[in-house]
Every structure is written in C-alpha cells, then in structure tokens.
Amino acid sequence: MKKSLVLIGFVLFTTLITKAQETPKVYNPNADAKADIKTTVAKAAKEGKHVMLQIGGNWCSWCLRFNKTVTEDKQLDSALNANYVIYHLNYSKENKNEAVLAWLGYPQRFGFPVFVVLDAKGNRIHTQNSAYLEQDKGYNKEKVLEFFKQWGPKAIDPDQYKSK
C-alpha cells in the first residue's frame, strides 16, 4: 500500500512538472516595461501601426488562452500583426508594474487579460475589457476581429470619414 501511494505521488509530481514546463511563458516579470513600451511605440510608428498591450501574467489562464487563440488562428494572427505591434505587459506577484499601469489609467480594474491600445505616438486611445470578447470557455473570433479592426490605425484615420 505504501509503495502504491509513493508511486502515485511520484506520477502526479512528474505530471505536474511536465505540465508546468509545457505552459508557454508569454509574459516576462523581469522586463523593463516602461523601456519596452517606448521601443514598441517607436517600432509601431515606423511601421504605421498601433501598439497593442496585452496585460496579464503567466499565472492567468485566460491571458494564455487569448494568446493561444490569436497565434493559432491565421486570420486573427494576420489581423493583429497587420495593425499592431504587440507587447505582453506583465502583472504578477513578482512585478505588478504599478507605475506603468497608473500611467495607462489603471486598466487592471477590468481584470485580466486587459488590452490597451496606444497610437504610434504612445497615446492611450482605448482600453478593452476582455470579458466582452469571451464566449463560453474561450474567445469569440468575430468579436476579436472586430476589436482589432475598430482600433487599428485605419479605423481612426480622419481621412476615412471625409466626404468625397
């Protein structure tokens, strides 16, 4: 009996270790978010895009689920990368990035993940509560595409709305 419990414990422990190693690390708690955002904004300006800040942490199943949904769906990945330079802003016990979140208007009030869109000058133009993009135990593809479209550079270009 004792041997069986030890064996079961070992198998469970091994399974947990293997699972932890398989979980992607999207967020970097050691990153200098302020400097990284500055670099990301410069890249977005150069490419004529906006910045998409995905705020959350490696501890957040919904954060990792969103990242997986977008990167594994070609249409979503294409729409994101055509309009945005993405940065995964860490929020965790190790680093809450409180000064950066204060500068962004405290987006954590919506829970995680939360998305902040910056224009190519680094101005915050939108904060998106991810709950509006969810469906069942995942994300609604059409809602995510619409979000990407509505806050991309073309959507807020005044020339798009001038009478011709």
Side-chain angles (χ1 to χ4, degrees):
M1 177 74 172
K2 220 176 196 185
K3 285 182 181 181
S4 295
L5 288 175
V6 170
L7 182 61
I8 291 170
F10 178 75
V11 170
L12 287 173
F13 178 75
T14 305
T15 303
L16 289 173
I17 295 296
T18 304
K19 182 74 172 161
Q21 290 172 347
E22 292 172 5
T23 304
K25 301 296 182 211
V26 177
Y27 298 89
N28 181 359
N30 300 314
D32 180 345
K34 188 174 181 182
D36 288 351
I37 291 170
K38 185 176 181 181
T39 302
T40 304
V41 168
K43 182 179 181 192
K46 188 175 182 180
E47 296 178 9
K49 297 178 181 180
H50 284 164
V51 172
M52 173 77 66
L53 302 176
Q54 181 180 327
I55 305 166
N58 295 317
W59 54 267
C60 170
S61 62
W62 280 93
C63 300
L64 299 177
R65 187 174 297 152
F66 184 84
N67 185 71
K68 183 177 181 185
T69 298
V70 172
T71 57
E72 290 183 358
D73 184 291
K74 289 181 182 183
Q75 189 178 11
L76 290 173
D77 187 57
S78 178
L80 176 66
N81 289 305
N83 294 291
Y84 304 94
V85 177
I86 189 154
Y87 180 72
H88 292 90
L89 176 59
N90 182 74
Y91 179 91
S92 66
K93 289 185 279 187
E94 300 84 11
N95 185 355
K96 293 183 180 181
N97 280 304
E98 291 172 322
V100 174
L101 293 176
W103 169 69
L104 293 170
Y106 306 100
Q108 67 269 40
R109 69 187 183 272
F110 296 113
F112 299 101
V114 61
F115 308 100
V116 175
V117 179
L118 307 177
D119 66 15
K121 294 179 183 174
N123 299 311
R124 180 173 55 95
I125 57 174
H126 181 65
T127 301
Q128 179 68 45
N129 180 337
S130 65
Y132 298 122
L133 305 175
E134 295 172 8
Q135 181 178 343
D136 301 322
K137 294 183 180 186
Y139 288 94
N140 179 291
K141 181 177 178 174
E142 288 73 30
K143 289 178 182 179
V144 173
L145 280 172
E146 186 68 16
F147 165 54
F148 290 165
K149 178 183 171 187
Q150 292 300 323
W151 293 100
K154 288 181 183 177
I156 64 168
D157 179 359
D159 291 338
Q160 296 289 318
Y161 304 100
K162 290 183 180 176
S163 298
K164 295 179 183 183

